[in-house]
Amino acid sequence: MNDDSVLRSRRDGDRLVLTALGPWTAVHAHNLEPVIEAQTTNSQPVRAVDIDLSQVKPLDTFGAWLIERLARAFSARGAETRIVGLPEDYRGIVDEVHGANLKPAPVPVETSRILVTLDTIGSALVSVSNGAVLILRMLGAVSKALGRAILHPTKFRWTAMVVHMERVGWHAVPIMLLVTFLIGCILAQQGIFHFRKFGADIFVIDMVGILVLREVGVLIVSVMVAGRSGSAYTAELGSMKMREEIDALRTMGFDPTEVLILPRIVALVISVPLLTFLGSMSALYGGGLVAWLYGGIDPDVFLSRLRESISMETFLVGIIKAPVMAFIIGIVASVQGLQVKGSAESLGAHTTSSVVISIFLVIVLDGFFAIFFASIGI
Amino acid sequence: MSMLQPAREVVLSTRDVVVAFGEKVILDHLNLDVYRGEVLGFVGGSGAGKSVLMRTIIGLLPKRQGKIEVFGVDLDAATEEELVAVEQRWGILFQQGALFSSLNVLQNVQFPIREYLNVSERLMDEIAVAKLEMVGLSPDVREKYPSELSGGMIKRVALARALALDPELVFLDEPTSGLDPIGAGDFDELIRTLQRTLGLTVYMVTHDLDSLHAICDRIAVLAGGKVILEGPMSAMLASEHPWLKAYFRGKRARMAMTAEG
């Protein structure tokens, strides 16, 4: 990089004359900056500096700022600095940057590593407890809205609820049937493969029946619903929050919980048990099919064995969990949706949290249910 | 059209541009020239296609036929590199600002500089702060995110970002919409000042009669998919076209003029 091609320097007694040449614009800034840098770090004593701009063409903010930076550096060293030969066209821009950047940039505060680590741990804990409080608060708000809806059924948004049931329930049927069917097939296949070694193939039917009805049906459906509908709820509520639609509702005297959240949660609470039922049936069907085609167990045998191994209780234990799971998914999705701040990134982060937290809670709850049913002996 | 001075350089020209959505023809063989160093105000009724033309020029909408040249480069025939070069020479202010919501003010202004120019972090900071100061913002807003800014500040930051690479041509889509009259007046003045200091060519889609009076050198009127009249304010006021009469000599227009004195 030849410095002389953009900035020629000449000594005139104790006066330094710098002549800028050629284009001083944005696209050349990466070449100009080192030249300016070299001039400002050059420590030769200098009494006065003339910066000659008569041969610059064109000049834009980038160039003008670099000139300004040069001038300020010399002034700071006590040299008398002048800008000479400034073409009239560029006077405006040179004057403009002369007043720029006078305030020093804020210096980031140095903090120790340990403090940062402690701070991270602390704020993570606080955010977990805040999350729990928010979920409790949402539970309260939804219960209140639900109570009001029971007292005044005409006030409840039936249309919205039906629309949401169509979206989270009816439209989810094909994918739920397919996924649970495949899970049923896999369970049966694995069971037969391993049980056959000690001649216990027939117990596959017990295993598939109990596992599907008690645990797998509701778990798979809940996880799917959390991913499919919980995320949609969060994204919808979040973007409404971003566009101030929720504030608008509030100022018109509506309670967003009543208008937006309750119908969504009720729709989930009704749809998820139905989906769980359909899913469990589909999984049993898949299990039966594999038992027949892969394990050589006739459908009649499968059905009669199934009748013996499961009871109404088995089915109820599974299905009773479904509305609870739906409720918690809905609550988490709504909490996260209302937490969205202005940016697109925040919407993404909260949608992610919504899905992760609801799946986590679904599994934790399932564990509690298992302990509960075990202790009451079902 | 008789106002044209033959020697002026055309920075943007559209020839026979046709844009249609399905059966609906929005722009019908439209011709328009923008000259270096002028502020062109582009007006027309709501839904007449003002924004459509701007979006077509900047390449966001496809056109059925016609030719668009910016800085003498035919945008259809241009190579990838030529297009990028043109894009570095224009800046666009979108109506809602279109700031990146996950970047703060400083990062928003630095974004094009960071992507296109290979300059030091320090210079990027200094230039971005200088641009913020140019658009009349205090550098204290540098750490703020777009969601924390008022409407007027968003427009100013968006203008600073549009000017980040020192473009020669700036497109402004309704720059004063959503601002209060004082804010709008300040913004007009800001555009005028910047246009003079930086030697910008400004293409401004607007509805604001005050802006048209205050800062536009030339006005082009879009109706029926064509530019029906272009010229200075005096030509607009002299026209007997019914829409122009209603627009420039209606009640609101008279108020704008009296306000100006």
Side-chain angles (χ1 to χ4, degrees):
Chain A
M1 175 72 231
N2 181 9
D3 290 9
D4 276 3
S5 62
V6 291
L7 189 69
R8 195 177 298 145
S9 69
R10 171 167 65 83
R11 285 262 169 189
D12 189 0
D14 54 0
R15 179 173 290 275
L16 177 66
V17 180
L18 296 170
T19 311
L21 304 163
W24 280 57
T25 55
V27 283
H28 299 95
H30 65 284
N31 290 331
L32 298 170
E33 203 185 0
V35 177
I36 296 292
E37 210 55 40
Q39 277 298 338
T40 53
T41 48
N42 176 357
S43 58
Q44 278 176 13
V46 57
R47 182 80 51 78
V49 183
D50 280 354
I51 302 173
D52 182 2
L53 297 186
S54 58
Q55 297 179 55
V56 169
K57 189 177 172 69
L59 178 75
D60 70 2
T61 324
F62 284 78
W65 169 251
L66 288 170
I67 298 282
E68 176 66 23
R69 199 205 259 181
L70 186 65
R72 281 188 199 176
F74 280 116
S75 298
R77 279 160 56 184
E80 181 199 323
T81 312
R82 288 190 309 176
I83 289 180
V84 296
L86 176 63
E88 205 46 44
D89 291 358
Y90 303 138
R91 181 165 300 280
I93 182 71
V94 169
D95 288 348
E96 185 74 46
V97 296
H98 187 59
N101 276 310
L102 290 175
K103 227 189 238 182
V107 186
V109 190
E110 287 276 327
T111 37
S112 79
R113 262 263 190 63
I114 302 169
L115 273 180
V116 172
T117 319
L118 285 177
D119 182 61
T120 320
I121 296 173
S123 38
L125 281 176
V126 168
S127 78
V128 167
S129 66
N130 281 350
V133 169
L134 285 171
I135 287 180
L136 286 179
R137 209 178 274 170
M138 180 59 74
L139 268 175
V142 169
S143 313
K144 193 173 133 203
L146 187 65
R148 220 175 304 154
I150 292 170
L151 289 178
H152 309 281
T154 47
K155 286 265 182 71
F156 183 67
R157 318 259 149 184
W158 296 100
T159 327
M161 187 198 76
V162 173
V163 170
H164 288 298
M165 275 178 71
E166 182 182 358
R167 283 169 44 195
V168 303
W170 180 239
H171 290 169
V173 168
I175 186 69
M176 295 294 174
L177 288 180
L178 179 64
V179 169
T180 45
F181 171 80
L182 292 174
I183 294 283
C185 292
I186 294 162
L187 280 178
Q189 189 272 335
Q190 286 294 304
I192 291 164
F193 184 77
H194 292 283
F195 286 4
R196 183 174 280 165
K197 289 179 194 155
F198 35 94
D201 330 18
I202 200 75
F203 289 106
V204 161
I205 302 166
D206 300 53
M207 184 192 78
V208 169
I210 294 171
L211 209 53
V212 163
L213 291 179
R214 278 185 75 124
E215 299 290 339
V216 173
V218 64
L219 270 184
I220 294 293
V221 167
S222 300
V223 168
M224 291 284 292
V225 165
R228 193 182 170 278
S229 309
S231 59
Y233 282 3
T234 306
E236 285 166 15
L237 292 171
S239 66
M240 285 189 209
K241 177 92 190 299
M242 281 164 80
R243 292 155 180 247
E244 302 176 319
E245 290 173 44
I246 292 184
D247 297 338
L249 268 178
R250 213 168 257 147
T251 53
M252 289 180 213
F254 296 101
D255 176 9
T257 317
E258 211 173 300
V259 179
L260 300 173
I261 294 174
L262 189 63
R264 284 182 163 78
I265 291 185
V266 173
L268 266 187
V269 169
I270 297 175
S271 307
V272 171
L274 297 174
L275 288 174
T276 302
F277 174 76
L278 291 176
S280 303
M281 293 308 117
S282 168
L284 288 180
Y285 184 80
L289 206 62
V290 168
W292 182 29
L293 299 176
Y294 175 78
I297 301 169
D298 276 341
D300 324 340
V301 180
F302 185 88
L303 281 177
S304 61
R305 179 77 200 173
L306 191 63
R307 211 170 286 137
E308 281 167 38
S309 63
I310 62 171
S311 62
M312 195 60 193
E313 238 166 37
T314 327
F315 171 71
L316 284 179
V317 163
I319 207 83
I320 212 160
K321 293 191 268 192
V324 182
M325 304 301 193
F327 193 65
I328 204 71
I329 292 169
I331 294 282
V332 170
S334 310
V335 167
Q336 292 296 328
L338 296 186
Q339 289 304 300
V340 170
K341 302 281 181 313
S343 71
E345 213 169 44
S346 156
L347 182 61
H350 283 287
T351 309
T352 309
S353 309
S354 164
V355 175
V356 172
I357 297 174
S358 26
I359 292 178
F360 171 73
L361 288 181
V362 159
I363 290 170
V364 169
L365 267 182
D366 193 59
F368 282 126
F369 270 115
I371 298 169
F372 172 72
F373 288 128
S375 46
I376 63 168
I378 305 179
Chain B
M1 273 154 255
S2 54
M3 303 291 155
L4 309 188
Q5 293 157 12
R8 286 202 289 173
E9 183 194 347
V10 175
V11 283
L12 164 67
S13 91
T14 69
R15 286 286 167 271
D16 278 327
V17 169
V18 177
V19 176
F21 302 128
E23 293 291 290
K24 196 168 165 18
V25 179
I26 308 287
L27 303 177
D28 181 16
H29 298 278
L30 182 139
N31 295 314
L32 180 71
D33 285 329
V34 180
Y35 300 94
R36 185 171 291 281
E38 74 171 350
V39 179
L40 177 85
F42 198 61
V43 300
S46 288
K50 304 183 297 293
S51 297
V52 170
L53 178 61
M54 187 182 124
R55 294 175 75 84
T56 309
I57 295 171
I58 61 185
L60 296 176
L61 286 175
K63 57 182 184 302
R64 290 265 166 92
Q65 64 177 78
K67 188 166 131 179
I68 295 175
E69 277 188 13
V70 180
F71 309 121
V73 178
D74 181 349
L75 296 186
D76 291 314
T79 61
E80 195 71 27
E81 291 82 46
E82 283 173 325
L83 271 181
V84 170
V86 167
E87 282 162 3
Q88 289 187 45
R89 291 169 71 187
W90 73 33
I92 293 140
L93 172 67
F94 287 93
Q95 201 173 341
Q96 313 291 342
L99 295 179
F100 304 124
S101 59
S102 51
L103 301 181
N104 69 23
V105 166
L106 201 68
Q107 290 165 336
N108 259 290
V109 178
Q110 284 177 346
F111 186 81
I113 307 178
R114 191 180 295 275
E115 294 303 313
Y116 282 130
L117 305 180
N118 179 24
V119 298
S120 74
E121 204 66 36
R122 175 180 165 204
L123 183 60
M124 265 196 287
D125 283 349
E126 288 168 346
I127 291 286
V129 169
K131 301 274 172 181
L132 287 173
E133 288 173 342
M134 274 186 196
V135 298
L137 288 169
S138 143
D140 301 337
V141 300
R142 49 192 285 168
E143 304 290 333
K144 289 208 160 98
Y145 283 85
S147 55
E148 302 166 316
L149 301 177
S150 71
M153 285 161 95
I154 287 178
K155 293 251 167 168
R156 282 171 193 262
V157 176
L159 183 62
R161 186 180 68 181
L163 297 176
L165 291 173
D166 274 274
E168 294 156 52
L169 172 63
V170 184
F171 293 91
L172 309 173
D173 192 359
E174 308 223 3
T176 54
S177 75
L179 299 182
D180 66 81
I182 301 172
D186 290 347
F187 205 79
D188 282 343
E189 204 168 302
L190 174 67
I191 293 170
R192 196 49 164 170
T193 316
L194 289 175
Q195 187 261 335
R196 289 203 181 117
T197 7
L198 304 175
L200 300 173
T201 306
V202 179
Y203 174 104
M204 180 163 80
V205 172
T206 189
H207 262 312
D208 190 335
L209 285 161
D210 289 316
S211 308
L212 291 172
H213 276 286
I215 63 172
C216 291
D217 298 311
R218 222 155 52 90
I219 297 168
V221 183
L222 179 70
K226 285 188 162 73
V227 173
I228 53 170
L229 183 65
E230 51 184 308
M233 198 61 182
S234 53
M236 301 294 130
L237 293 171
S239 166
E240 285 302 316
H241 188 284
W243 189 85
L244 285 174
K245 264 174 85 175
Y247 193 88
F248 287 103
R249 287 189 264 165
K251 197 166 148 213
R252 293 173 66 92
R254 280 200 301 277
M255 281 160 66
M257 277 204 301
T258 15
E260 216 164 288

